[in-house]
Amino acid sequence: MLRQASRLISRSVTAASSKSVTARAFSTELPSTIDSTFVESWKKVAPNMDPPQTPSSFMKPRPSTASSIPTKLTVNFVLPYASELSGKEVDMVIIPATTGQMGVLPGHVPTIAELKPGIMSVHEGTDIKKYFVSSGFAFLHANSVADIIAVEAVPLENIDASQVQKGLAEFTQKLASASTDLEKAEAQIGVEVHSAMNAALSG
Amino acid sequence: MKSVKNIQKITKAMKMVAASKLRAVQGRAENSRGLWQPFTALLGDNPSIDVKKSVVVTLSSDKGLCGGINSTVVKVSRALYKLNAGPEKDVKFVIVGEKAKAIMFRDSKNDISLTVTELNKNPLNYAQVSVLADDILKNVEFDALRIVYNKFHSVVAFLPTVATVLSPEIIEKESEVGGKLGELDSYEIEGGETKGEILQNLAEFQFSCVMFNAVLENACSEMGARMSAMDSSSRNAGEMLDRLTLTYNRTRQASITTELIEIISGASALEAAK
């Protein structure tokens, strides 16, 4: 039954995404495309109520995978409190994955990468914008769209070097004097982030 | 009449307060909208997924006087319960907010596993919501989490929405079976030892991001609904005041007229007697 369900889901979701409506807060029409299996089963349980919306009806549809490698990478860089870059076309992005700095070009193999604290740089022609990101995830899709979700990110210019040094010393000291596992873990995280920031500023 | 005037003043004040709070939260909610989109783009949206253990997370407000939004959320949660209940299938509730707690306690008391209140006492931020998400993940076993909230469409329109977050085991199962998540297998994994570990982190991160957006949207909807509820009640109070004023004047004039009649009839009686 699960196989049937996922087949139905794939059929209905592909149908939905091909005709989904962009409904942002400023449009007056309500989004109307939902997973039809959901709608059907909803109608059986609660025939008098309208089925609730689902997040896919609020999203702009993603471009499909092109047959040839596109020239530009589309970057969506989101933070909890803002969308830093949304659909920006760039040449290359370098992200700090846990396995090291990773360069992303258009046509990159689809990847899910976990990020560690480090510098992320966005290259657009000769323009390079560097951000220090705390951590997060990066999804690289087959259609040359890169989604980078970070918990916190600041442009490098806004980091104060003296504060970084102070923080590093503080956390190193805390690590030395930590007693419980939790304290050790917290101090360790502090040391890692601050040393990464230090490296970022000097590098 | 005085009491009606006072009520009108109070509701007008509440409307102003709600409007200002709305302006503050709306910006943040709109900025957080980008947060869950990458997850939905990667993992797809599967509200009709069939799993053994579903947990319905119901978001509602703590304070009342906000129109019908809390009852819509509860109705949707109850319908989801019916949708997902069945032999071998388990549905539990996690309730955020006093209002839903009060309503759900009446009939679904046994299925409530966790309640959270006073979320909006301090201004919302991501750290707070991620702690809450962590709590939920630790205490509740789930295969799929369905978060029910009111999405803020505009100041007068709030759409009940259900966002589905799957547990890492289900994601792996689904990606093997095929369908929308089948493409997930084609993604390389960078970092971490195994795919399972990454998926675990991913699912937790997704949950906290989706919760953050949901909580902000719900707060916006609450303010907007309160604004329109207070607006209609102050208008109502105004109309009532008008009607009462008219009745008051009429009664006053009637009593004056009656007095005059008595005096005049008394006077004319004296005249006639003379």
Side-chain angles (χ1 to χ4, degrees):
Chain A
M1 196 177 85
L2 202 59
R3 200 177 280 273
Q4 294 279 35
S6 46
R7 194 162 49 80
L8 286 170
I9 292 170
S10 70
R11 237 191 313 132
S12 56
V13 172
T14 43
S17 58
S18 62
K19 53 176 164 77
S20 70
V21 176
T22 54
R24 290 286 150 128
F26 307 106
S27 78
T28 44
E29 52 180 75
L30 299 175
S32 56
T33 51
I34 326 172
D35 193 358
S36 55
T37 340
F38 183 57
V39 175
E40 280 157 27
S41 40
W42 179 272
K43 288 232 163 21
K44 275 189 248 158
V45 209
N48 302 329
M49 255 205 301
D50 276 332
Q53 302 291 325
T54 51
S56 50
S57 44
F58 297 115
M59 248 178 75
K60 282 209 242 312
R62 290 295 177 98
S64 55
T65 314
S67 48
S68 64
I69 301 176
T71 47
K72 290 265 197 200
L73 187 66
T74 321
V75 172
N76 294 321
F77 180 32
V78 285
L79 302 166
Y81 51 82
S83 295
E84 272 292 323
L85 302 171
S86 156
K88 186 145 189 260
E89 305 241 325
V90 297
D91 296 320
M92 179 169 80
V93 196
I94 302 185
I95 57 177
T98 40
T99 49
Q101 295 279 38
M102 199 168 104
V104 182
L105 291 160
H108 196 279
V109 152
T111 309
I112 303 175
E114 199 175 338
L115 305 177
K116 69 167 187 227
I119 315 180
M120 186 190 90
S121 46
V122 179
H123 298 247
E124 164 98 56
T126 49
D127 209 24
I128 309 182
K129 186 95 202 282
K130 289 196 180 169
Y131 298 90
F132 184 82
V133 300
S134 63
S135 55
F137 269 90
F139 306 145
L140 311 170
H141 301 277
N143 49 11
S144 287
V145 174
D147 289 317
I148 305 171
I149 312 144
V151 176
E152 187 64 68
V154 279
L156 264 189
E157 302 88 54
N158 301 2
I159 302 184
D160 184 3
S162 53
Q163 285 280 16
V164 175
Q165 298 292 4
K166 244 197 330 191
L168 184 59
E170 196 187 312
F171 276 103
T172 335
Q173 196 225 6
K174 265 198 211 154
L175 184 60
S177 63
S179 43
T180 65
D181 265 343
L182 182 64
E183 277 179 35
K184 268 204 204 108
E186 284 179 5
Q188 184 75 30
I189 294 174
V191 167
E192 270 177 32
V193 175
H194 279 87
S195 32
M197 274 203 273
N198 216 0
L201 286 173
S202 50
Chain B
M1 252 178 21
K2 222 193 292 187
S3 65
V4 176
K5 207 183 274 192
N6 284 338
I7 288 180
Q8 190 185 26
K9 276 197 212 145
I10 291 172
T11 52
K12 259 206 195 129
M14 284 188 76
K15 180 183 157 198
M16 298 287 147
V17 167
S20 65
K21 282 197 188 155
L22 176 69
R23 261 196 301 272
V25 194
Q26 191 174 354
R28 303 180 61 208
E30 278 171 21
N31 284 335
S32 77
R33 277 201 186 133
L35 196 58
W36 51 262
Q37 291 187 3
F39 292 107
T40 317
L42 179 73
L43 298 168
D45 193 23
N46 306 301
S48 50
I49 197 152
D50 204 11
V51 290
K52 282 222 173 55
K53 292 209 184 86
S54 325
V55 174
V56 177
V57 181
T58 314
L59 298 183
S60 67
S61 60
D62 286 331
K63 305 205 185 101
L65 294 180
C66 47
I69 54 169
N70 289 325
S71 51
T72 39
V73 166
V74 169
K75 268 192 259 174
V76 171
S77 312
R78 288 221 186 102
L80 278 175
Y81 179 87
K82 268 191 267 175
L83 235 170
N84 288 311
E88 283 189 13
K89 288 205 282 192
D90 201 28
V91 185
K92 290 255 171 262
F93 289 110
V94 171
I95 301 194
V96 179
E98 276 290 343
K99 291 280 139 195
K101 183 166 123 183
I103 305 177
M104 301 289 267
F105 241 56
R106 269 188 288 135
D107 40 307
S108 315
K109 204 165 21 169
N110 306 328
D111 290 316
I112 300 179
S113 40
L114 198 63
T115 53
V116 183
T117 48
E118 299 204 350
L119 189 64
N120 292 334
K121 214 154 107 167
N122 307 318
L124 294 163
N125 62 5
Y126 185 68
Q128 185 188 21
V129 178
S130 50
V131 168
L132 168 68
D134 212 19
D135 264 340
I136 297 179
L137 286 169
K138 265 199 291 239
N139 293 328
V140 185
E141 257 197 55
F142 66 95
D143 286 330
L145 281 162
R146 299 170 203 275
I147 308 170
V148 185
Y149 61 102
N150 288 97
K151 190 171 168 73
F152 185 75
H153 186 68
S154 78
V155 181
V156 292
F158 323 105
L159 307 171
T161 314
V162 60
T164 319
V165 176
L166 304 169
S167 75
E169 296 91 24
I170 297 287
I171 296 180
E172 279 214 57
K173 209 166 35 136
E174 283 292 311
S175 65
E176 280 160 26
V177 167
K180 187 70 168 55
L181 286 175
E183 294 171 14
L184 196 62
D185 247 350
S186 63
Y187 281 77
E188 293 254 337
I189 308 287
E190 284 275 338
E193 311 294 310
T194 62
K195 188 168 174 182
E197 204 183 282
I198 293 272
L199 281 181
Q200 171 90 357
N201 289 341
L202 191 66
E204 292 181 7
F205 193 42
Q206 182 187 10
F207 182 44
S208 65
C209 288
V210 174
M211 268 300 264
F212 185 62
N213 177 249
V215 169
L216 280 177
E217 300 262 357
N218 209 39
C220 270
S221 310
E222 180 197 333
M223 296 301 150
R226 186 166 295 141
M227 230 176 81
S228 53
M230 291 297 107
D231 185 43
S232 53
S233 84
S234 27
R235 209 174 309 131
N236 215 2
E239 283 171 22
M240 202 183 256
L241 200 58
D242 287 336
R243 275 201 310 270
L244 285 173
T245 318
L246 280 175
T247 326
Y248 173 71
N249 284 332
R250 239 178 268 136
T251 341
R252 187 175 52 88
Q253 286 159 358
S255 69
I256 292 173
T257 317
T258 330
E259 267 193 49
L260 281 170
I261 289 176
E262 282 175 17
I263 296 169
I264 292 172
S265 50
S268 59
L270 280 174
E271 284 258 353
K274 259 202 271 178

